[in-house]
């Protein structure tokens, strides 16, 4: 194998076009292998008496192209990219800036193809590889002793075939472009509003203050003009149901009592299917998972102005610190009185500020986990649960409570 090429762009057909334009006398054929990679075979013969040359390219791409690596693998390539990220992150370097940019670029990669020279030596192969790399804004994982090698060990090259990093930490470039196709963003990042840019900048300063890793290429979340918050009544109903279910998680009431309570006060129809399944069979494991929803309750009570601040996510919230008069449920307490009393919530700007911050917190937590490190500055579980509730508040991707995703 000569190298493996990675790109954000999906490029099987473009690769074939480049090969055909550079090697006019090549016979190109396609096959599928057992792991469903696309195989391109090039048979090249310069003349009747010359020996044949053969290149084989094995191509695969992610099931869901993106600009980030999801927590749950969507393909074998995604799993490979997680390993690649960890490998690069472990390398020493003489240029931290380039290494950091390279790590950000790895998150955006959507396709991979290996190039193997099976027969003979293809004429102008270096030029062909450079043309492919330039066309796809690619990075290359290269073995030593090849036509494009720049190191005695395994190493990475940029689209110009210059050294990004090798196992000794060497580097011969000063910058590395990280380009992302706008179609993969949740919103169009080409026309950012002032509130989006200011929110991102302010929250990155918070991360910097606490020495939490920053992904400068993590995009902005939705603008205020693009966002429709949940209504005050929706939030009050949701937090009331969560509070009842949470009592079961902490063994304060039985699931039967909780079900009767929600039915008696006309909240059963707003209880989600997963919450109903939990109340029907609240095992110890399910109770442990449900107990984390304290952090979601805390976020929603903050949104309703019942608590002053979310506090830094390094310590668990304490629901008992909320004034009982401000809490929606309790013995002989009608939650609908609480629900009907809620007519306003925090501003869209405040809620989006928090959502953007927890989005960046969660990216840092995921980055640590991918690399086998423990996040010490903040608690990843608290961060996840709070981002979950914040995503619900801003109607992220119009997802219902049971199906909120915390993308990074």
């Amino acid at each position: 194998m000569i190298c493996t090429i990675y790109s954000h762009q999906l490029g099987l057909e473009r690769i074939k076009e480049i090969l055909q334009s550079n090697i006019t006398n090549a016979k190109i054929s396609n096959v599928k292998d057992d792991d469903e990679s696309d195989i391109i075979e090039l048979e090249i013969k310069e003349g009747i008496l010359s020996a044949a040359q053969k290149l084989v390219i094995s191509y695969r791409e992610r099931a869901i192209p993106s600009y980030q690596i999801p927590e749950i693998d969507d393909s074998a390539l995604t799993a490979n990219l997680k390993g690649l990220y960890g490998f690069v992150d472990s390398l020493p370097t003489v240029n931290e800036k380039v290494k950091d940019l390279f790590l950000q670029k790895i998150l955006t990669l959507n396709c991979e193809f290996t190039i193997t020279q099976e027969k003979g030596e293809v004429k102008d192969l270096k030029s062909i590889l450079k043309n492919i790399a330039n066309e796809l804004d690619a990075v290359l994982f290269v073995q030593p002793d090849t036509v494009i090698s720049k190191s005695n060990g395994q190493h990475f090259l940029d689209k110009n075939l210059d050294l990004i990093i090798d196992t000794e930490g060497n580097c011969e470039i000063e910058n590395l472009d990280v380009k992302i196709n706008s179609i993969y963003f949740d919103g169009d990042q080409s026309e950012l509003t002032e509130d989006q840019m200011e929110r991102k900048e302010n929250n990155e300063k918070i991360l910097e203050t606490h020495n939490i890793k920053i992904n400068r290429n993590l995009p902005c979340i939705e603008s205020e003009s693009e966002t429709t918050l949940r209504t005050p009544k929706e939030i009050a109903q949701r937090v009331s149901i969560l509070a009842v279910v949470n009592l079961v998680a902490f063994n304060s009431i039985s699931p039967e009592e909780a079900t009767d309570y929600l039915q008696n006060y006309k909240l059963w129809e707003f209880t989600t299917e997963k919450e109903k399944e939990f109340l029907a069979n609240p095992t110890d494991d399910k109770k442990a998972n449900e107990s984390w929803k304290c952090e979601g309750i805390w976020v929603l009570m903050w949104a309703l102005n019942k608590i002053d601040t979310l506090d830094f996510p390094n310590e668990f919230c304490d629901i008992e610190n909320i004034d009982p008069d401000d809490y929606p449920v309790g013995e002989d307490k009608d939650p609908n009185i609480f629900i009907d009393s809620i007519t306003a919530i925090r501003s869209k700007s405040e809620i989006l500020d928090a959502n953007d911050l927890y989005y960046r917190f969660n990216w840092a937590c995921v980055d640590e986990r991918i690399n086998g490190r423990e996040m010490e500055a903040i608690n990843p579980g608290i961060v996840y649960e709070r981002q979950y509730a914040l995503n619900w508040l801003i109607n992220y991707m119009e997802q219902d409570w049971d199906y909120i995703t915390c993308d990074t």
Side-chain angles (χ1 to χ4, degrees):
M1 184 179 71
I2 299 170
C3 65
T4 302
I5 301 179
Y6 296 91
S7 175
H8 176 64
Q9 302 175 38
L10 302 180
L12 179 60
E13 293 305 314
R14 189 66 190 124
I15 295 166
K16 290 164 67 175
E17 290 174 8
I18 295 169
L19 291 170
Q20 288 173 327
S21 65
N22 282 268
I23 313 173
T24 57
N25 57 337
K27 178 183 177 183
I28 299 179
S29 57
N30 276 74
V31 295
K32 278 272 190 184
D33 69 3
D34 292 338
D35 66 0
E36 296 190 352
S37 294
D38 285 284
I39 306 297
I40 303 173
E41 295 183 346
L42 287 89
E43 298 261 4
I44 307 160
K45 195 168 180 61
E46 298 290 345
I48 296 175
L49 299 179
S50 63
Q53 297 113 48
K54 185 177 182 181
L55 280 182
V56 176
I57 297 174
S58 177
Y59 175 93
R60 61 179 178 171
E61 60 187 44
R62 290 178 52 187
I64 305 174
S66 181
Y67 57 88
Q68 54 197 4
I69 297 176
E71 292 189 54
I72 300 174
D73 294 345
D74 58 13
S75 64
L77 177 54
T78 299
N80 181 53
L81 292 175
K82 289 182 179 181
L84 180 65
Y85 186 102
F87 173 63
V88 172
D89 194 42
S90 70
L91 295 177
T93 183
V94 297
N95 192 321
E96 288 290 348
K97 173 191 171 185
V98 169
K99 178 180 174 180
D100 185 59
L101 287 169
F102 186 31
L103 288 171
Q104 306 320 316
K105 196 172 184 75
I106 290 172
L107 298 176
T108 74
L109 300 176
N110 284 319
C111 78
E112 166 201 89
F113 49 101
T114 60
I115 299 181
T116 305
Q117 191 165 243
E118 287 199 350
K119 292 182 184 178
E121 293 186 5
V122 176
K123 184 180 178 182
D124 297 327
L125 180 59
K126 183 175 181 179
S127 176
I128 294 168
L129 294 175
K130 187 173 182 178
N131 287 342
I132 294 174
N134 262 280
E135 183 72 25
L136 298 178
D137 186 35
V139 292
L140 298 81
F141 180 50
V142 183
Q143 303 297 324
D145 301 321
T146 74
V147 68
I148 58 172
S149 295
K150 289 290 188 78
S151 178
N152 293 325
Q154 294 178 325
H155 54 288
F156 296 90
L157 305 181
D158 69 3
K159 64 182 180 181
N160 298 314
L161 305 188
D162 294 325
L163 181 64
I164 300 173
I165 194 170
D166 64 10
T167 54
E168 301 298 319
N170 297 308
C171 175
E172 62 180 24
I173 59 176
E174 293 300 322
N175 202 4
L176 183 67
D177 289 337
V178 182
K179 298 177 181 178
I180 303 173
N181 192 325
S182 62
I183 65 171
Y184 299 136
F185 286 122
D186 299 327
D188 185 359
Q189 301 284 307
S190 63
E191 297 182 4
L192 295 173
T193 62
E194 184 177 346
D195 73 277
Q196 287 176 290
M197 294 185 288
E198 183 177 347
R199 186 170 290 117
K200 180 177 186 290
E201 181 180 351
N202 290 341
N203 284 333
E204 286 179 346
K205 288 179 181 177
I206 293 174
L207 268 66
E208 190 171 9
T209 299
H210 292 279
N211 295 315
I212 295 172
K213 188 173 181 179
I214 300 170
N215 179 354
R216 302 287 182 186
N217 297 294
L218 202 62
C220 296
I221 64 168
E222 293 85 343
S223 67
E224 292 180 31
S225 62
E226 296 172 307
T227 301
T228 302
L229 299 178
R230 302 281 177 175
T231 66
K233 186 171 184 178
E234 279 183 285
I235 300 170
Q237 287 175 334
R238 180 95 297 269
V239 77
S240 298
I241 294 166
L242 285 169
V244 174
V245 176
N246 197 251
L247 289 172
V248 178
F250 283 96
N251 298 311
S252 298
I253 61 174
S254 70
E256 292 79 17
E257 289 174 307
T259 299
D260 289 344
Y261 185 95
L262 291 168
Q263 290 175 341
N264 289 340
Y265 288 110
K266 312 301 182 187
L267 292 176
W268 190 246
E269 65 179 296
F270 304 109
T271 306
T272 71
E273 290 305 311
K274 288 186 178 180
E275 287 167 338
K276 290 176 180 177
E277 289 173 7
F278 168 73
L279 293 175
N281 182 29
T283 64
D284 288 342
D285 285 344
K286 290 179 180 179
K287 286 180 180 180
N289 289 332
E290 195 65 32
S291 68
W292 278 96
K293 291 296 185 287
C294 281
E295 299 298 336
I297 293 172
W298 193 256
V299 168
L300 299 189
M301 292 295 285
W302 169 82
L304 295 177
N305 285 299
K306 298 300 183 181
I307 58 174
D308 294 331
T309 178
L310 290 179
D311 294 326
F312 196 67
N314 60 342
E315 293 184 3
F316 296 104
C317 69
D318 189 348
I319 299 297
E320 294 186 1
N321 286 337
I322 300 175
D323 187 333
D325 291 337
D326 289 332
Y327 205 59
V329 301
E331 189 174 355
D332 298 324
K333 195 171 185 179
D334 183 349
N336 291 295
I337 296 174
F338 170 85
I339 293 168
D340 292 339
S341 72
I342 302 298
T343 58
I345 60 175
R346 288 187 185 272
S347 69
K348 190 180 290 185
S349 176
E350 286 180 281
I351 292 173
L352 285 172
D353 285 348
N355 183 265
D356 181 89
L357 177 61
Y358 276 83
Y359 171 48
R360 299 180 196 286
F361 277 154
N362 197 24
W363 180 89
C365 292
V366 172
D367 179 73
E368 291 294 280
R369 184 167 63 253
I370 287 174
N371 289 289
R373 297 188 296 260
E374 184 176 347
M375 171 60 80
E376 297 180 352
I378 51 181
N379 185 305
I382 295 174
V383 168
Y384 178 85
E385 294 297 336
R386 292 186 183 180
Q387 188 193 8
Y388 192 103
L390 287 161
N391 278 356
W392 181 81
L393 281 172
I394 67 167
N395 273 293
Y396 177 63
M397 297 183 68
E398 299 183 355
Q399 295 168 335
D400 293 330
W401 179 265
D402 279 349
Y403 302 103
I404 300 296
T405 56
C406 293
D407 301 318
T408 56

